[in-house]
Amino acid sequence: MRDKKTQVQNGSEAVTWSGSDELIFFVNGKKVVEKNPDPEMTLLFYLRRKLGLTGTKLGCAEGGCGACTVMISRFNLDSQRPLHLAVNACLAPLCSLHLAAVTTVEGIGSTARKLHPVQERISHAHGSQCGFCTPGLVMSMYALLRNNPTPHMEQLHQAFQGNLCRCTGYRPILEGFKTFTLDGSCGAIQNGCQTKDLGLDQDKVQNGSCCKGRADSCCMNRDQGLDQDLDRDSGLTWALFDPSEFMPFDPTQEVIFPPELISLTRSGKSWSLVFRSPRCTWFQPVSLDQLLDLKWTHPESRIVVGNTEVGIEVKFKNMVYPVLISPTQVPELNSVQHTETGIEFGAAVTLDRVEAVLQDAVISLPACQTEVFRAVLEQLRWFAGKQIRNVAALGGNIMTASPISDINPVLMSTGAKLTLRDREGVRVLHMDQDFFTGYRRTAVRPAEVLVSAAINYSRQGQIVRSYKTSRRREDDISIVTATFNVIFEPGSSRVHDLRLAFGGMGPTTVLTPKTSNALRGRLWGEELLQIACSSLADEMTLDPSCPGGMVSYRRTLVLSLFYKFYLSVLQTLGEQGVEEVEPVPSEYLSATEVFHPPVPSSVQVYQTVPSGQDMEDVVGRPLMHVSAEQQATGEAQYCDDLTPADNELYLSLICSTRAHAKILSIDCSEARAMPSVVCVLFAEDVPGSNGTGPVVYDETVLAQGEVTCVGHVIGAVVAETQGDAQRAAKSVKIQYQDLPAVITIQDAIEAQSFYEPIRTLQKGDLETGFNQSDHILEGELHMGGQEHFYLETNVTVAVPRDQDEIEIFSSTQSPSKTQSLVARALGISSNRVHVRVKRMGGGFGGKESRTTILSTVVALAAHRLKRPVRCMLDRDEDMLVTGGRHPFYSKYKVGFSESGQVLALDVTYYSNAGNSMDLSMSVMDRALMHLENSYLVPNVRGRGIMCQTHLPSNTAFRGFGGPQGMMVCEDWISAIALKLGRTSEQVLVLFSQASELI
């Protein structure tokens, strides 16, 4: 590293930031020295494109799926040992890795050398299917074991909060990994694999049905009362794998932390760093004075710790930040101090460390002092995933000022103290109603730096509760968050002070001063509850058009969350012996309980092979996925893992931003002027037919004159690098003339916008059936769509060959259709197009036909330029241009007798097909085939109408219309049960008996 030029200024050492430093770190034990690192480059891009370590995958690029998980290790001077963290490589800035050691899935084991026990257990326990998520799961488990060789099941569960699996599911993954845990001794039920718990009877067990799980000390033979002789004689297999065959995990045999990094860290030399690129400069100061000078000089700069917000803004919101400052080496911003009033955390302290410190405090301090701490911990339990909490900072959460923040309502309701500094001095603010001044804005001045945030001790008579409502509990953004803080007069239920804070109820985190004032001095009881609900309903209003929607639901959540708080406080006051409070009714006690997810457990019943079956006969025997070990080691090659070819170019799509419009003009001069841009392609550049489609040629390769959905591909930019291609594509300016747009099924019905033909399925005499019915019910059902969310997005690599031949590497479920449509677009015969598909990272129907949107355009570029061209869509691009499961709207009329016999059924299905036919007719046919589910109705008519709308064309999805058809059937069965005053099961029994008679 070069020497810094220093000068004495106001009694402190100042640094002249010039040039660019060297970045030193290790990857899988090998030293890497990067002399000109790009501050905008992520670790994931560097691993995959610079080092060729493609085991780490790109799934979502925003830290939500865990496919890119790696382990980052640093030597901790306080504990004098390495600290290992699972981190999302897609968000980790390369420049943040100075003096760190990175371990990827390739670095812990391979099929050529030796599998690591983590890799062995997930593969041999049948925990991989498509395998795209497997390296991320392996590294999450590996990082957990490096910190704790004998974890508990709860810690195992937490380790995977930030990892998604879209194929296999968590049962086999956890069954394999829980062999590492202390309390994972039973493969099925935590309290024993007893027959009654499994829902199995002895007959089933003795006939060869058994539970998939582990063969260990909690043997199912023993629990189910079977002797070993019977087990041997019958040839039953009680587990899919035998954990005794796994290689033992020995933590002493792991790769050591690089001694050179220990030496550099222990040397005590504090180096301020600067890394520069044409677009961005990265500063890493080592003192608070340096940080304040930088912020004073560059007030528009962003301070980055975990990059969990800035990284997403740069990637998906096209934000450009010329100056980034990393404060991770500034002692004051990384300190934790216990004071007389609470615990003061440096602004750069990670949420994972905050959680650990508060957990220790809750254990060691009296309960009356830790109410606020427990409220913070409750929110941290559901805050993102482990990979995010390992790097995201408390100060970053505050300064991001998100209106749906999980933590800020706790800090606001409890009046957390913030210490700010700039070159002119220190300022102290409390998080109150004046701190957030607008959407993503705070009262902090541009040149000020948040140094620390103090979380206060609670006091006697104080009760604090925090709540979060989201679509799923773990790793999801909130719909509404709330923290309620009440202080009672000593020994009574009279409110002395009350602060209610909500997230998700406006452009900022908000307090409710009117409600608080109305409740002060009142006794905690029914009267207070009525006043609070009335006041909150008036104070917590939302505009019907506000971002996020669900206005009525969110307002209802405000009242329901307060009611939970009301009941919880009642219970707490009762436990404290306050006499004037009423006890919580027993039927309401569940609302006061803090939810703790049960320890993951699994049970599966399967038929074993017959006794005496030859061991070489594999039918009925569990076989490991043929590529499981390669998937677990990162050696399994997916399309984007192909080594970039010489002279390879990158393509980025130009997509419509209008649902239905004429294209008036296209200005791509700015894109063409960018140095690395090779060409820009439009419809006139298609040498063959611009008409395309999997069944009917009612689509375009590139839009010509008109766009029919947001995401309609208009053109493409081809450049030397991915970043340049994407920036150039976003610079293209298009003028539109909007046309009437049909978006919903209801819009299509009103406009009579349908595809032909209308599909009809009929049996029996419908009129007679209804005439014979004692009751006739009519109803309707709306079903929304669904995104496939395969972890590997659409990707194509096109390589031109001799004599107009072209080779296509694509992640597609339909190589033949890819071949024919590429040939059609290029105007060549199909035998000149060679399509290769090694494996896919998920598909679920989403890659059956819609992959050709991308593959035809990439092939066009490669064919025209005679150079290899690659494109892997970012997650937002993929979700923009591809459709999903068809939304359905169904109307039904059902006639049935008093006994429950269904005599007549008339159903009309409307599907939202989108802007092209695609596979919508086949999907509708399948829905019609399932309109009776597995039952029998004598007189039935089903009609299927496909709506032509201005949305990206919907397509195949698992079930292919069957779930939509059966859902309607179950709805009218429930309606019949309600009408007859029976349960659905009773109607089904009657229905079944009637069907047998028919």
Side-chain angles (χ1 to χ4, degrees):
M1 289 182 289
R2 63 173 176 79
D3 293 331
K4 296 287 190 297
K5 298 178 182 179
T6 62
Q7 61 182 1
V8 177
Q9 189 178 61
N10 296 328
S12 64
E13 188 180 78
V15 176
T16 302
W17 306 89
S18 60
S20 186
D21 289 309
E22 291 181 344
L23 178 66
I24 300 173
F25 61 105
F26 279 69
V27 177
N28 295 334
K30 296 181 180 180
K31 185 177 181 179
V32 177
V33 179
E34 188 67 30
K35 295 187 176 181
N36 294 293
D38 184 352
E40 293 182 297
M41 184 179 293
T42 64
L43 171 60
L44 179 64
F45 184 89
Y46 189 84
L47 291 173
R48 292 182 60 83
R49 290 292 175 256
K50 300 292 184 179
L51 300 183
L53 298 174
T54 57
T56 308
K57 307 302 182 188
L58 173 64
C60 66
E62 55 181 291
C65 72
C68 64
T69 302
V70 298
M71 187 180 78
I72 294 180
S73 307
R74 296 183 185 275
F75 191 76
N76 188 288
L77 290 173
D78 293 333
S79 63
Q80 287 296 301
R81 66 179 182 86
L83 178 64
H84 309 288
L85 300 174
V87 171
N88 292 121
C90 69
L91 291 178
L94 180 67
C95 292
S96 69
L97 300 176
H98 190 63
L99 301 187
V102 178
T103 305
T104 71
V105 69
E106 296 95 337
I108 67 173
S110 71
T111 56
R113 303 191 310 272
K114 181 182 179 182
L115 265 64
H116 188 276
V118 174
Q119 296 168 327
E120 179 195 38
R121 298 190 194 191
I122 192 173
S123 56
H124 289 242
H126 311 275
S128 68
Q129 187 169 325
C130 88
F132 202 77
C133 69
T134 305
L137 289 160
V138 166
M139 293 312 298
S140 290
M141 187 71 216
Y142 181 74
L144 173 63
L145 293 176
R146 289 302 300 267
N147 287 309
N148 184 359
T150 54
H152 290 280
M153 282 298 294
E154 183 178 354
Q155 294 167 321
L156 179 68
H157 182 71
Q158 291 176 351
F160 297 119
Q161 287 177 342
N163 291 84
L164 294 181
C165 177
R166 295 286 290 113
C167 300
T168 307
Y170 290 96
R171 182 193 60 77
I173 295 168
L174 293 178
E175 280 184 357
F177 283 158
K178 72 185 176 185
T179 59
F180 290 106
T181 65
L182 288 174
D183 44 4
S185 59
C186 179
I189 300 296
Q190 187 180 9
N191 296 323
C193 307
Q194 298 187 7
T195 308
K196 61 182 176 62
D197 294 328
L198 299 175
L200 303 177
D201 55 41
Q202 294 296 331
D203 292 335
K204 280 188 177 181
V205 172
Q206 294 178 9
N207 287 333
S209 295
C210 66
C211 169
K212 287 184 177 180
R214 289 177 49 195
D216 51 23
S217 59
C218 184
C219 181
M220 289 196 54
N221 302 16
R222 181 197 68 211
D223 289 333
Q224 295 172 350
L226 300 180
D227 56 50
Q228 296 295 330
D229 292 334
L230 176 61
D231 186 35
R232 286 193 298 269
D233 293 341
S234 64
L236 299 183
T237 301
W238 296 107
L240 291 181
F241 60 90
D242 184 356
S244 65
E245 297 179 355
F246 292 151
M247 70 179 79
F249 172 63
D250 185 354
T252 65
Q253 300 303 306
E254 294 302 324
V255 178
I256 64 171
F257 187 79
E260 184 178 347
L261 292 184
I262 298 177
S263 177
L264 288 171
T265 306
R266 281 177 171 170
S267 67
K269 295 181 179 179
S270 297
W271 293 96
S272 52
L273 301 172
V274 59
F275 305 114
R276 301 181 186 276
S277 74
R279 284 166 44 95
C280 182
T281 301
W282 175 283
F283 293 103
Q284 183 173 294
V286 295
S287 71
L288 183 58
D289 286 339
Q290 290 179 8
L291 175 60
L292 297 178
D293 285 341
L294 284 170
K295 190 62 175 171
W296 189 271
T297 306
H298 306 283
E300 77 291 348
S301 64
R302 294 298 297 266
I303 297 179
V304 175
V305 179
N307 199 45
T308 57
E309 185 69 25
V310 171
I312 293 174
E313 290 178 341
V314 171
K315 180 69 176 176
F316 297 108
K317 298 182 181 179
N318 306 322
M319 302 294 288
V320 178
Y321 295 111
V323 178
L324 299 174
I325 304 173
S326 171
T328 56
Q329 300 303 310
V330 177
E332 291 87 344
L333 270 69
N334 290 276
S335 66
V336 177
Q337 297 182 14
H338 293 259
T339 67
E340 293 182 357
T341 59
I343 303 178
E344 188 170 2
F345 294 94
V349 173
T350 64
L351 295 176
D352 182 67
R353 189 179 172 197
V354 170
E355 186 176 19
V357 171
L358 293 182
Q359 285 174 342
D360 290 341
V362 168
I363 294 172
S364 60
L365 295 174
C368 64
Q369 287 187 298
T370 60
E371 285 281 327
V372 182
F373 298 167
R374 279 179 276 146
V376 175
L377 288 172
E378 174 63 21
Q379 294 296 65
L380 287 177
R381 284 206 301 149
W382 314 115
F383 190 103
K386 189 69 172 176
Q387 295 95 322
I388 296 295
R389 296 198 299 272
N390 281 339
V391 297
L394 178 62
N397 186 84
I398 296 170
M399 294 303 298
T400 297
S402 170
I404 54 173
S405 166
D406 296 343
I407 305 299
N408 286 343
V410 186
L411 302 180
M412 279 191 71
S413 68
T414 57
K417 183 183 73 172
L418 307 181
T419 301
L420 309 169
R421 283 194 60 177
D422 59 18
R423 290 205 311 192
E424 294 182 341
V426 180
R427 190 162 68 109
V428 175
L429 292 179
H430 289 272
M431 291 188 67
D432 54 21
Q433 64 270 16
D434 298 322
F435 180 72
F436 296 108
T437 58
Y439 178 71
R440 301 277 184 170
R441 297 198 304 272
T442 68
V444 179
R445 298 165 187 159
E448 282 184 322
V449 172
L450 174 62
V451 177
S452 65
I455 301 178
N456 301 323
Y457 295 131
S458 56
R459 67 189 197 188
Q460 196 73 37
Q462 183 174 4
I463 301 174
V464 183
R465 297 288 185 270
S466 60
Y467 304 95
K468 173 180 177 177
T469 303
S470 53
R471 289 171 177 81
R472 64 175 189 173
R473 292 189 184 274
E474 299 168 349
D475 196 11
D476 197 5
I477 61 173
S478 62
I479 299 172
V480 171
T481 53
T483 300
F484 307 128
N485 174 24
V486 62
I487 302 174
F488 292 100
E489 295 179 1
S492 75
S493 65
R494 190 172 299 278
V495 176
H496 173 72
D497 194 14
L498 180 69
R499 291 167 66 95
L500 314 178
F502 293 93
M505 293 302 296
T508 67
T509 303
V510 295
L511 290 170
T512 57
K514 293 180 181 179
T515 302
S516 298
N517 291 334
L519 301 183
R520 288 190 182 97
R522 296 184 179 275
L523 294 176
W524 199 263
E526 285 290 336
E527 182 183 359
L528 177 141
L529 177 63
Q530 295 299 326
I531 295 173
C533 290
S534 177
S535 180
L536 285 172
D538 291 337
E539 193 168 5
M540 290 287 97
T541 60
L542 287 172
D543 188 273
S545 62
C546 72
M550 299 187 294
V551 170
S552 298
Y553 176 60
R554 286 152 70 185
R555 295 189 66 195
T556 302
L557 278 177
V558 168
L559 303 183
S560 65
L561 293 178
F562 181 83
Y563 185 56
K564 285 173 67 72
F565 175 64
Y566 169 78
L567 293 175
S568 179
V569 171
L570 269 186
Q571 186 183 40
T572 302
L573 292 176
E575 292 171 351
Q576 293 175 352
V578 179
E579 296 182 355
E580 62 259 31
V581 297
E582 294 290 332
V584 179
S586 59
E587 61 269 26
Y588 296 162
L589 282 175
S590 61
T592 68
E593 297 172 356
V594 176
F595 176 79
H596 291 281
V599 175
S601 61
S602 57
V603 174
Q604 188 170 3
V605 176
Y606 69 101
Q607 189 75 31
T608 59
V609 297
S611 176
Q613 179 172 315
D614 194 294
M615 291 301 296
E616 295 182 357
D617 185 353
V618 299
V619 175
R621 301 187 189 278
L623 295 178
M624 184 180 68
H625 192 304
V626 69
S627 299
E629 293 184 349
Q630 289 86 354
Q631 291 168 348
T633 59
E635 297 169 86
Q637 193 175 66
Y638 297 80
C639 187
D640 194 51
D641 297 339
L642 294 171
T643 302
D646 293 338
N647 299 318
E648 184 176 282
L649 300 171
Y650 201 91
L651 179 144
S652 184
L653 301 177
I654 304 169
C655 297
S656 167
T657 59
R658 305 295 175 88
H660 189 204
K662 288 184 178 179
I663 299 174
L664 299 180
S665 65
I666 301 176
D667 180 6
C668 54
S669 58
E670 185 177 344
R672 295 183 191 276
M674 292 185 178
S676 72
V677 171
V678 177
C679 73
V680 183
L681 301 173
F682 295 103
E684 56 267 23
D685 299 308
V686 179
S689 172
N690 195 41
T692 187
V695 179
V696 182
Y697 298 138
D698 60 348
E699 302 181 50
T700 59
V701 176
L702 297 173
Q704 194 165 16
E706 182 178 312
V707 293
T708 54
C709 71
V710 174
H712 195 158
V713 180
I714 298 174
V717 174
V718 185
E720 299 287 345
T721 68
Q722 177 182 3
D724 289 339
Q726 291 178 333
R727 282 189 287 272
K730 291 171 183 175
S731 72
V732 174
K733 299 177 177 61
I734 302 175
Q735 291 187 338
Y736 302 92
Q737 178 184 339
D738 287 330
L739 299 172
V742 176
I743 305 299
T744 67
I745 292 176
Q746 284 66 34
D747 293 341
I749 294 173
E750 184 177 345
Q752 292 294 292
S753 177
F754 305 129
Y755 290 106
E756 295 293 340
I758 293 175
R759 313 294 281 173
T760 303
L761 185 69
Q762 190 163 353
K763 178 186 67 174
D765 189 333
L766 202 62
E767 184 177 354
T768 300
F770 281 120
N771 290 335
Q772 293 174 350
S773 300
D774 298 323
H775 304 282
I776 296 177
L777 291 177
E778 296 187 44
E780 59 184 35
L781 186 67
H782 296 261
M783 286 166 281
Q786 187 180 5
E787 170 61 33
H788 299 90
F789 207 86
Y790 28 73
L791 282 193
E792 178 201 33
T793 58
N794 275 293
V795 54
T796 297
V797 180
V799 183
R801 302 300 186 191
D802 294 338
Q803 299 179 346
D804 276 344
E805 291 188 353
I806 189 166
E807 190 168 16
I808 306 294
F809 300 87
S810 180
S811 179
T812 179
Q813 293 173 264
S814 182
S816 58
K817 186 58 65 176
T818 300
Q819 178 191 43
S820 63
L821 293 183
V822 165
R824 177 181 172 85
L826 299 186
I828 60 178
S829 59
S830 292
N831 66 344
R832 294 186 179 275
V833 181
H834 308 281
V835 180
R836 297 181 183 271
V837 182
K838 177 67 174 178
R839 57 173 55 87
M840 292 184 300
F844 320 116
K847 294 179 180 177
E848 186 169 337
S849 60
R850 304 315 296 164
T851 55
T852 58
I853 296 175
L854 181 66
S855 56
T856 51
V857 179
V858 174
L860 168 64
H863 183 264
R864 181 182 178 87
L865 298 172
K866 303 302 179 185
R867 291 175 64 178
V869 178
R870 177 188 304 252
C871 180
M872 182 175 186
L873 297 180
D874 284 338
R875 178 62 59 184
D876 60 327
E877 295 174 323
D878 191 283
M879 295 178 73
L880 178 71
V881 303
T882 63
R885 188 187 296 279
H886 287 72
F888 263 57
Y889 166 63
S890 305
K891 300 169 67 175
Y892 63 81
K893 179 181 179 182
V894 59
F896 54 97
S897 68
E898 188 66 37
S899 65
Q901 180 180 352
V902 180
L903 301 173
L905 172 65
D906 189 10
V907 181
T908 302
Y909 294 113
Y910 295 88
S911 71
N912 193 329
N915 70 331
S916 72
M917 180 72 83
D918 192 72
L919 303 177
S920 297
M921 185 178 294
S922 299
V923 170
M924 182 58 76
D925 288 346
R926 177 68 66 86
L928 289 169
M929 296 295 180
H930 286 72
L931 67 86
E932 295 175 277
N933 202 342
S934 58
Y935 317 118
L936 180 63
V937 181
N939 306 294
V940 63
R941 180 179 67 181
R943 289 179 295 176
I945 302 173
M946 298 162 287
C947 298
Q948 183 175 9
T949 63
H950 296 109
L951 293 176
S953 187
N954 287 307
T955 187
F957 204 116
R958 274 186 172 175
F960 206 79
Q964 293 98 317
M966 291 186 289
M967 184 67 183
V968 178
C969 178
E970 298 307 311
D971 187 66
W972 55 255
I973 285 177
S974 297
I976 293 173
L978 185 63
K979 176 68 175 179
L980 297 178
R982 299 185 175 97
T983 65
S984 296
E985 290 76 13
Q986 290 173 323
V987 172
L988 290 176
V989 171
L990 292 170
F991 196 180
S992 176
Q993 293 171 347
S995 299
E996 292 174 3
L997 294 174
I998 295 169

